[in-house]
Amino acid sequence: MDRITGGEAVVAQLEREGVDVAFGIPGVHTLEIYDALLDSGIDHVTTRHEQGAGFGADGYARATGRVGVCFVITGPGLTNVATAVGQAYSDSSPLLVISTTNATNEADRGKGHLHELKDQQGVMDSIAAESYHVDRVADVPGTIADAFDYLDRHRPRPVHVQIPTDVLERAEPVELVDREPAAPPGPDTERVADAAELLADADRPLLVVGGGTVDAADSVRAFVEETNIPVITTAAGKGVVPADHDCCVATALGHEPAAEFVASRDLVLAVGTELSAQDTGDTPFPDGLIHIDIDPTNVGNNHETALGIVGDAGATLDALTERVRERGPSYDGPTEADDAGPEPLSVGDEDDRLHLLAVLREALDDDAVVVNDMTKVSYAARTRFPTGAPRSFLFPRGFGTLGFSPPAAFGAAIGTDRQVVSLVGDGGSLFTIGDLATAVQYDLGVPIVLCNDDSYDILEDVQRRDYGRTMATDIENPDFVDMAESFGAAARRIAFEDAADELPDALAAAFDRDRPTLIEIPVEF
């Protein structure tokens, strides 16, 4: 066994796990890791805030399907990244946060050591799927391997590993771990057979596919082709079945046309979705609900099920397709999809948000990655924006944090050669504006389409509706074009009425640049 430091062991084991990029900000507590990175094949992306590091790693993970890795220091580094961890947990995104903690002889003593937090692991236990603590240098590789093994076997959610500073600095004999990727759980064959029977007996079934199917698109499409079953994707499942597929009814739940269609069904097969309140709203699911998910705590949690199957989405659908093929049911998906669902986007739409989304859709490649924020145009995009490929629509649902979009888009652009565009409001953009400097530094040709109404307008709408007056929603913004140019980014302002004519060319020019482009569009949605 080689004698190496704990910091070197962190980097060496990450390389063994196939990690090729990590996000973070060096701090005095993490310098052992950063020194080891210099001799590794891992590229590092230096952000301007740990929240941006977390969102960047999350965007990388969502766009690629690989684990997003970020490094943060003890205390404030960890609390800064906590918002991104909460968002990744809500959206089932595979994030690995490696943090330091105070030296072993300083821990939990409350003596005010640098960056000391009252109960650091307790913080992460409350927001991550798992949190590991390392006591010895020799245990560093195995603990990191355990974190990756957890991510392989379970619903992909953020995992945390914390390492005391003295463990990072100390050198000991260390054996790295050669780990075989763990297989996710396969389906219960008897329950698959039961599901096939229920499907064969159904007259008006529906398939609902969620974010847990993004790596099982071939299996989902094979099942649809075999049965002609109508399909609705959730927002996280957009593109698993392309929006223009003959059997695709809608690309999100939680809006009236989709709810009306679900209400007409006698059976729903839901795969890879928790069917959360954010996804489904008041959707009336039938008593005949078959729920397939890798996470046993999801099955039947939000809606009562007739049959639950715990297993990997792809493997379970493959087994179900074989069973269904034996029974031979075929449904009227293409006809029903034609008669249901929302109207397609149109540049001529009177709704300004839908007009802008139609312009954007026509200007982008079919598999472009659209990264959303919590803003009015993105709320409309959740239900109405069509996509043709999985991992092409990133949305901070559930936790619903502002400022997600720009740094997540930068992380996505680092991980993929596809077009990547950020869609953000004026309020949300200022939460993480510092990472515009990150995009400039790393030559990321990402357009940031910023809809500016000089207010927290959605809250203003709610206040007017519920109280008849408004409070604290007007905001004073900088000149976004001047500000972006001061970072070294390209920038321009497009009047809303000129968006149909000017936005496509502005996006094309942005994708050709080796730096980000901020495109401000004043709006009054």
Side-chain angles (χ1 to χ4, degrees), residues 150-220:
Y150 181 93
L151 289 165
D152 282 347
R153 293 180 185 274
H154 297 84
R155 181 180 180 184
R157 278 177 155 166
V159 174
H160 167 237
V161 174
Q162 72 171 18
I163 308 171
T165 54
D166 58 311
V167 174
L168 287 178
E169 295 165 0
R170 195 162 53 244
E172 292 180 5
V174 171
E175 184 172 356
L176 300 178
V177 176
D178 287 317
R179 185 184 66 88
E180 288 294 327
D188 181 318
T189 55
E190 289 188 9
R191 287 181 174 264
V192 169
D194 292 342
E197 291 296 323
L198 290 172
L199 281 162
D201 292 339
D203 295 319
R204 302 179 311 282
L206 168 68
L207 174 65
V208 174
V209 293
T213 67
V214 291
D215 293 324
D218 288 345
S219 298
V220 173

Side-chain angles (χ1 to χ4, degrees), residues 15 26 55 72 75 152 171 279 309 319 337 399 402 417 439 460 486 495:
E15 286 190 292
F55 286 149
V72 298
D152 282 347
D279 275 335
I309 303 176
F399 204 54
L402 286 161
D417 292 331
E460 206 167 88
S486 76

Side-chain angles (χ1 to χ4, degrees), residues 430-464:
L430 292 176
F431 275 54
T432 50
I433 195 64
D435 278 308
L436 192 58
T438 302
V440 170
Q441 180 177 347
Y442 292 95
D443 304 324
L444 302 179
V446 175
I448 302 104
V449 178
L450 190 156
C451 296
N452 181 11
D453 56 16
D454 290 315
S455 72
Y456 294 123
D457 194 55
I458 188 71
L459 299 172
E460 206 167 88
D461 291 345
V462 174
Q463 286 180 342
R464 284 198 186 96

Side-chain angles (χ1 to χ4, degrees), residues 45 97 128 159 162 184 218 235 239 241 266 322 378 385 391 424 477 498:
V45 179
V97 176
V159 174
Q162 72 171 18
D218 288 345
V241 175
D266 62 350
E322 287 300 315
S378 289
F385 194 81
R391 299 193 179 279
V424 68
N477 282 320
D498 297 327

Side-chain angles (χ1 to χ4, degrees), residues 20-67:
D20 58 4
V21 64
F23 299 76
I25 302 174
V28 67
H29 279 184
T30 56
L31 292 182
E32 287 290 337
I33 294 174
Y34 278 82
D35 184 70
L37 284 171
L38 284 169
D39 300 318
S40 77
I42 298 175
D43 293 326
H44 183 268
V45 179
T46 303
T47 62
R48 301 303 185 268
H49 192 282
E50 287 92 353
Q51 189 176 113
F55 286 149
D58 188 354
Y60 173 90
R62 296 191 200 208
T64 66
R66 305 183 67 188
V67 176

Side-chain angles (χ1 to χ4, degrees), residues 195-196 199 205-209 216-231 241 247 267 269 271 292 316-325 329 331:
L199 281 162
L206 168 68
L207 174 65
V208 174
V209 293
D218 288 345
S219 298
V220 173
R221 295 175 191 182
F223 181 79
V224 173
E225 295 298 327
E226 182 66 33
T227 60
N228 268 333
I229 190 170
V231 186
V241 175
C247 290
L267 182 142
L269 171 63
V271 186
I292 298 171
T316 305
L317 274 177
D318 288 343
L320 187 55
T321 300
E322 287 300 315
R323 286 282 188 172
V324 167
R325 186 173 290 127
Y331 309 107

Side-chain angles (χ1 to χ4, degrees), residues 109-386:
R109 298 195 176 190
K111 292 189 174 183
H113 290 286
L114 179 65
H115 301 324
E116 185 176 4
L117 191 62
K118 178 183 175 183
D119 182 5
Q120 178 167 295
Q121 191 166 20
V123 170
M124 293 305 284
D125 270 333
S126 71
I127 56 175
E130 286 288 323
S131 179
Y132 301 88
H133 178 87
V134 181
D135 288 313
R136 303 185 309 145
V137 177
D139 292 337
V140 168
T143 303
I144 291 175
D146 286 346
F148 277 89
D149 191 72
Y150 181 93
L151 289 165
D152 282 347
R153 293 180 185 274
H154 297 84
R155 181 180 180 184
R157 278 177 155 166
V159 174
H160 167 237
V161 174
Q162 72 171 18
I163 308 171
T165 54
D166 58 311
V167 174
L168 287 178
E169 295 165 0
R170 195 162 53 244
E172 292 180 5
V174 171
E175 184 172 356
L176 300 178
V177 176
D178 287 317
R179 185 184 66 88
E180 288 294 327
D188 181 318
T189 55
E190 289 188 9
R191 287 181 174 264
V192 169
D194 292 342
E197 291 296 323
L198 290 172
L199 281 162
D201 292 339
D203 295 319
R204 302 179 311 282
L206 168 68
L207 174 65
V208 174
V209 293
T213 67
V214 291
D215 293 324
D218 288 345
S219 298
V220 173
R221 295 175 191 182
F223 181 79
V224 173
E225 295 298 327
E226 182 66 33
T227 60
N228 268 333
I229 190 170
V231 186
I232 295 178
T233 73
T234 68
K238 280 178 182 278
V240 171
V241 175
D244 61 0
H245 191 285
D246 288 344
C247 290
C248 188
V249 177
T251 58
L253 291 164
H255 59 105
E256 187 173 348
E260 289 177 353
F261 190 80
V262 174
S264 72
R265 304 294 91 190
D266 62 350
L267 182 142
V268 170
L269 171 63
V271 186
T273 171
E274 59 186 322
L275 297 175
S276 70
Q278 285 293 309
D279 275 335
T280 63
D282 296 325
T283 301
F285 287 92
D287 293 337
L289 174 60
I290 304 171
H291 194 177
I292 298 171
D293 200 88
I294 195 172
D295 183 352
T297 66
N298 267 350
V299 177
N301 186 43
N302 286 305
H303 298 274
E304 188 173 344
T305 61
L307 178 66
I309 303 176
V310 176
D312 173 71
T316 305
L317 274 177
D318 288 343
L320 187 55
T321 300
E322 287 300 315
R323 286 282 188 172
V324 167
R325 186 173 290 127
E326 296 169 5
R327 295 298 306 269
S330 184
Y331 309 107
D332 296 325
T335 301
E336 293 183 306
D338 282 343
D339 296 337
E343 291 294 319
L345 287 176
S346 169
V347 172
D349 202 298
E350 293 182 0
D351 185 313
D352 288 348
R353 296 172 302 167
L354 299 182
H355 165 76
L356 189 59
L357 290 172
V359 173
L360 189 67
R361 178 67 281 172
E362 289 187 6
L364 297 174
D365 292 345
D366 198 41
D367 66 349
V369 181
V370 178
V371 187
N372 293 269
D373 212 84
M374 298 299 288
T375 188
K376 274 187 170 181
V377 71
S378 289
Y379 300 154
R382 189 189 74 82
T383 58
R384 298 296 299 277
F385 194 81

